[in-house]
């Protein structure tokens, strides 16, 4: 598995046609559309200039929305993942 | 529902021809025009470099004005929403 | 009315041909020319990285000069206003 | 008169052919040439992130040199002035 | 050997067709793909504005993923290495 | 004379063919070449965000090297000078 | 000799075909290639916003690798040198 550094998370993106259990779908419009996924690993958090480390506001298992063009792709055992920064994550589906 | 991260809010944009109860309409001119909407969820607030979290200056139910090109669109149960950052919000209609 | 967020103010721009009581007119030259207006609402002020909020150096009723291309337009009860940031305001006419 | 905000000053630019009493003239070369002027009003100073206000290093009556393309023009009672930021001012002629 | 300065590390990149023992392979898609490598030397860490040095979150022997276009190449005794900054490293394969 | 503001200095550039007493000449190559000069006035120093003023690491009479394209030209009593920022000064010839 | 200011160093670049005693040579590839050199003078170090000066992590005599396009050239007694900033230096050959 991957241990992400700093404020990064590893995310398993949802298939594009998937509908969440809360009924959220993503519109097809001119504005930037977020994508859904599930957090599978979280980093130790962002380091402030004071030397303080900020705990991540996300945990493994969270279903999230993130900016469509963010992140780096990686494939583990034939499954595709993304490595994202916390700032690229818009919200958690609850 | 969506729990927005950091200084983000979830906003239900007003229909474009809508007129608020305070009689505010938006002009059609050359300058950037703000759009109206209602706050439906607020994040935990911006984190300062001191490690202090700043409470949002907005609450659920606030009728707001925001920059037209800001934010990410999302659709929940067939209703369109926007995820915005507090800095993209110009003011609250009171 | 609008409650502007942070270091923003709501300004009623002066009509372009208007001359202030102090006799100030704005030249038509190559450099960026400021515009005049009157402050009708002020935000709670800029938030410093220390968490301290800086009181606005402006009050309702101030006649101000601001950068011509700054701000967002809005119309309330058929009157046009601008939402500006304090940094876009050059000075107060006294 | 204008009360400039923050670290701004109001400056009366010298006529271009003017020679100062200290005999300073400005060369006509490829590099950016500064312009001369006299300070007629000063702001309350720059605000640091600590919340401390820094007193201006300029006073009314100072004869200064400033970057040629800096500032906003304004005309008061038919006299042209510039509103400049302290950072655009190179030095004081003494 | 090289002692990297600050938050830099020296990395021996994996051969492109290599598969890690954890079965991670890198997809060939439109998004930016990370590359794998092994840390062979680490710097003393990033210096914060407070003067505090942050220990590196990496150690010699770590198998890492890094941004494909990051870093400077160097060859030591006919082996190619990269000098990277910690911010260019996405995660550690564990 | 000019009193430079902040971290600025007034410099009398050396004539281009001049050779310093330490035998330093400037090569004519593709990279940016520094220029020589003598410090004739120094500002009060850079102001840190803490409100602390940093004394200049230069004094009147220092023979310096500076970036070729830096600064603003000025002529005092028919002699050409440059107003530079401390960051544009590479080193002192000793 | 030159006393470099701040976090700068004076470096004597190695001849391009030179091989270090540790057998390091520089590959000819598409990525940015670092260059080798020897430190001949070091500045007093970078100044933090706290007013604290950070001692240089380099000393006279260090054999270093630096970014190829960094720095300003200078010739002292017919020998070419570079003035570099510490951030342009990748590592020390040990």
């Amino acid at each position: 598995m991957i241990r992400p550094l700093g404020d990064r998370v590893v995310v398993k993106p949802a298939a594009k046609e998937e509908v969440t259990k809360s009924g959220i779908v993503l519109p097809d419009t001119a504005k930037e559309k977020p994508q859904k996924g599930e957090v599978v690993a979280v980093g130790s958090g962002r380091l402030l200039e004071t030397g303080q480390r900020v705990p991540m506001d996300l945990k493994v298992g969270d279903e999230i929305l993130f900016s469509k063009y963010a992140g780096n792709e990686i494939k583990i055992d034939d499954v595709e993942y993304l490595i994202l920064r916390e700032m690229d994550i818009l919200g958690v589906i609850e």
Side-chain angles (χ1 to χ4, degrees), chain A residues 8-70:
Chain A
R8 290 184 178 87
V9 294
V10 181
V11 172
K12 187 177 172 305
K16 291 206 170 59
E17 45 294 287
E18 186 180 355
V19 176
T20 70
K21 56 183 177 293
S22 54
I24 294 175
V25 296
L26 303 175
D28 183 14
T29 65
K31 279 206 184 174
E32 190 188 348
K33 288 165 296 180
Q35 205 175 335
K36 285 174 299 178
E38 183 189 335
V39 174
V40 299
V42 298
S44 52
R46 183 160 70 97
L47 193 77
L48 301 176
E49 277 297 321
T50 58
Q52 184 188 343
R53 179 118 9 217
V54 186
M56 300 288 277
D57 196 10
L58 291 165
K59 61 181 187 304
V60 171
D62 278 351
E63 194 181 8
I64 60 163
L65 294 167
F66 55 92
S67 298
K68 193 182 181 177
Y69 301 106

